[in-house]
């Protein structure tokens, strides 16, 4: 378990203390390391707290970059088939790896396959990738939604984090206002089910399981669910249990 956080914006000022607050709020997710990355134009800020499991060497510390900084990523989770994917990248794309981590494999997969990497990776994950060549940010979450990702989109700013406390630490000016509609939906679901994309706080959204975003200039330009196997809406909690049993 790790914690990721960040700010994506088209303008405005941010200080490193904003990321530090988010990291401290999620320190329980990653006690082994705390690191940050800021883009050259200061429009992207990534933070990461690490629990070292796969390749605990410091060279695997995130935010992780390849190709002279053209691709930068923060990642929480585990890619189960990373060794197989690593072998394929070495054989067919002559990739030379500098770590033994699934982090590097995941980022190399994005470099060669773009969003199509989601057709190949198996695991539990939430990750955010900066693509300098495309001037875009790619965000994705695993099929089952095991790894969380929450975000606030406001004008030309987007804040994201693994947890709501980390998110509010990034943007303390946003009032912690309860989302009454979410409470109603939760009660309708017999205190069991809340739609995948909303939270109990106004402003705060959850990236849906099997979902991805493409962001440019601080705005979401593409939002999609990458598999048709997951129903877009599950109205009855019993339906969700039956669906989970089926898979």
């Amino acid at each position: 378990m790790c914690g990721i956080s960040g700010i994506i914006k088209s303008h405005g000022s941010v200080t490193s203390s904003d990321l530090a607050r988010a990291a401290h709020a999620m320190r329980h997710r990653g006690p082994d390391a705390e690191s940050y990355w800021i883009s050259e134009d200061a429009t992207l800020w990534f933070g990461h707290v690490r629990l070292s499991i796969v390749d605990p060497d410091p060279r695997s510390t995130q935010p992780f970059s390849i190709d002279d900084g053209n691709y930068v990523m923060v990642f929480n989770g585990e890619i189960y088939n990373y060794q197989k994917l690593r072998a394929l990248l070495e054989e067919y794309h002559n990739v030379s790896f500098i770590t033994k981590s699934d982090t590097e494999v995941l980022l190399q997969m994005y470099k060669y396959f773009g969003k199509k990497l989601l057709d190949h990776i198996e695991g539990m994950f939430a990750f955010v990738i900066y693509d300098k060549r495309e001037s875009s940010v790619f965000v994705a979450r695993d099929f089952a939604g095991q790894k969380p990702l929450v975000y606030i989109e406001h004008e030309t700013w987007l804040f994201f984090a693994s947890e709501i406390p980390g998110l509010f630490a990034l943007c303390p000016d946003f009032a912690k206002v309860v989302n009454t509609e979410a409470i109603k939906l939760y009660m309708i679901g017999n205190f069991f089910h809340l739609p995948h994309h909303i939270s109990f706080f106004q402003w705060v959204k959850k990236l849906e399981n099997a979902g991805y975003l493409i962001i440019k200039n601080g705005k979401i330009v593409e939002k999609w669910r990458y598999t048709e196997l997951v129903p877009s809406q599950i109205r009855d909690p019993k339906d969700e249990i039956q669906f989970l049993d089926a898979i």
Side-chain angles (χ1 to χ4, degrees):
M1 181 172 68
C2 298
I4 65 176
S5 59
I7 301 171
I8 304 165
K9 61 191 180 72
S10 64
H11 67 278
S13 61
V14 181
T15 66
S16 57
S17 61
D18 295 320
L19 284 176
R21 281 197 308 269
H24 295 160
M26 299 188 295
R27 193 64 177 169
H28 58 282
R29 299 186 65 91
D32 297 328
E34 177 182 322
S35 302
Y36 311 102
W37 171 84
I38 304 170
S39 64
E40 293 177 356
D41 59 3
T43 59
L44 290 99
W45 297 61
F46 288 176
H48 187 267
V49 289
R50 183 185 185 196
L51 177 65
S52 302
I53 298 177
V54 179
D55 191 9
D57 191 285
R59 63 189 175 179
S60 295
T61 296
Q62 300 179 45
F64 191 87
S65 65
I66 60 171
D67 198 23
D68 295 323
N70 284 318
Y71 305 94
V72 183
M73 179 177 71
V74 283
F75 159 54
N76 171 34
E78 181 179 354
I79 305 303
Y80 303 146
N81 61 335
Y82 80 97
Q83 292 178 323
K84 177 182 177 181
L85 297 174
R86 178 186 177 116
L88 292 173
L89 287 166
E90 289 174 330
E91 180 176 358
Y92 293 103
H93 295 283
N94 298 313
V95 176
S96 296
F97 289 90
I98 61 173
T99 75
K100 297 180 181 179
S101 69
D102 53 352
T103 301
E104 185 177 9
V105 172
L106 180 58
L107 193 50
Q108 290 284 2
M109 285 294 295
Y110 176 82
K111 175 183 176 180
Y112 287 99
F113 294 93
K115 64 185 180 183
K116 291 292 185 181
L117 92 162
L118 296 170
D119 295 334
H120 303 284
I121 59 176
E122 300 170 6
M124 53 180 180
F125 54 81
F127 62 79
V128 180
I129 296 174
Y130 167 53
D131 184 337
K132 186 176 181 179
R133 296 181 185 277
E134 297 293 330
S135 299
S136 65
V137 177
F138 182 68
V139 186
R141 193 172 173 216
D142 64 81
F143 171 82
Q146 288 179 271
K147 293 300 179 180
L149 191 92
V150 291
Y151 65 95
I152 291 175
E153 185 182 17
H154 180 65
E155 298 179 350
T156 56
W157 291 62
L158 189 140
F159 308 85
F160 68 87
S162 294
E163 296 180 356
I164 289 176
L167 189 64
F168 280 128
L170 274 179
C171 45
D173 292 337
F174 280 88
K176 300 177 180 65
V177 179
V178 172
N179 185 345
T180 55
E181 290 301 315
I183 293 176
K184 291 177 184 178
L185 290 170
Y186 187 60
M187 294 174 68
I188 290 171
N190 294 320
F191 302 96
F192 176 81
H193 179 260
L194 188 66
H196 298 288
H197 63 288
I198 66 173
S199 78
F200 288 111
F201 291 95
Q202 289 185 19
W203 304 99
V204 178
K205 298 178 182 178
K206 297 181 292 186
L207 180 60
E208 296 179 84
N209 57 305
Y212 76 78
L213 308 173
I214 296 177
I215 302 164
K216 292 190 175 184
N217 296 318
K219 299 284 288 182
I220 296 172
V221 297
E222 185 175 336
K223 182 178 182 180
W224 201 250
R225 299 188 81 180
Y226 58 84
T227 175
E228 295 299 324
L229 295 177
V230 179
S232 58
Q233 285 188 328
I234 302 175
R235 299 188 181 277
D236 189 333
K238 294 179 181 178
D239 292 342
E240 184 171 50
I241 294 173
Q242 292 171 358
F243 171 70
L244 292 173
D245 288 341
I247 62 172

